[in-house]
Amino acid sequence: MSKTETNEPAGTHINDVLHEAKSSSGQAKPARKRRIFAAVGIVTLLAGSTAIGTTLPDPKSSDAYATLAAEKASVESERDSAESSYASMKSKYDTLQSGITARETKVSSRETEVGKADAAVKTAEAAVKVREEAVTGAEKTKAANTVGDGTWTVGTDIEPGTYRAAADVGSSCYWGIYATGSNGSNIIDNDLPGGGRPSVALNGGQDFKSSRCGKWEKQ
């Protein structure tokens, strides 16, 4: 068997090389020394690599690696489950948000319609109020220009003008026009019409008396 095929330690070869270098010359030249140290370094690295390769186990076959791999798989499973749950919740949220937006649009549209209806109601109420005020005013004016049985001073109690019976009078109707302040002694005009709707012209400075003739309305 050759010397390179023995099982002697790598250090033996290194010592032999150094010994031979020293014995061949009392002091090696610098260039030769550098070559020798380089050779020694290479041999040392090869020896170390061989030793490590034969003593370190495969890390994937260790229990720690298997434990870490199982934990990684568990974390990835939890991550995938969380992502799936998030996607489901996001879909439900988007559906709800879409529904809310649609309802808000409907509410806004209805509010607009209600606002228009309120405006229409207010306009109608204002018109009714105007008509009511007009009717009330007309009724007040009519009431102010309507007289019944009694004695009335023209210009104080009633306005001057032409007055007519509001309905046909009976046979007992009597009316008379007197000078104001005469207490009925100064008759200007009077009548017992006996029917129909008589009318009288009244001026200031006169008193008007009506008996059993009903209402008189200013024309």
Side-chain angles (χ1 to χ4, degrees), residues 25-181:
S25 175
Q27 184 176 0
K29 296 180 180 180
R32 188 175 182 183
K33 284 185 178 180
R34 286 195 293 273
R35 288 197 296 271
I36 292 171
F37 284 125
V40 172
I42 292 171
V43 172
T44 303
L45 289 173
L46 291 174
S49 298
T50 303
I52 292 173
T54 57
T55 58
L56 290 178
D58 183 2
K60 293 184 178 180
S61 63
S62 65
D63 293 340
Y65 181 88
T67 300
L68 290 174
E71 291 179 356
K72 177 177 178 292
S74 177
V75 170
E76 289 177 345
S77 177
E78 291 177 358
R79 179 202 62 196
D80 294 341
S81 178
E83 288 180 348
S84 177
S85 178
Y86 170 78
S88 177
M89 293 177 66
K90 182 67 166 56
S91 176
K92 292 179 180 179
Y93 171 81
D94 292 340
T95 301
L96 290 173
Q97 187 64 33
S98 177
I100 290 172
T101 301
R103 285 193 292 272
E104 287 178 345
T105 301
K106 290 182 179 179
V107 169
S108 179
S109 177
R110 289 177 181 175
E111 287 178 347
T112 301
E113 293 176 357
V114 169
K116 291 180 180 179
D118 286 343
V121 168
K122 289 179 179 178
T123 301
E125 287 177 347
V128 169
K129 186 176 181 180
V130 170
R131 287 194 294 271
E132 287 178 347
E133 290 175 350
V135 170
T136 301
E139 289 176 348
K140 288 180 178 179
T141 300
K142 183 177 181 181
N145 295 324
T146 301
V147 297
D149 288 350
T151 301
W152 312 94
T153 299
V154 181
T156 301
D157 299 327
I158 59 176
E159 293 182 358
T162 300
Y163 288 79
R164 186 181 183 189
D168 291 344
V169 299
S171 59
S172 62
C173 171
Y174 169 80
W175 60 266
I177 301 173
Y178 309 93
T180 298

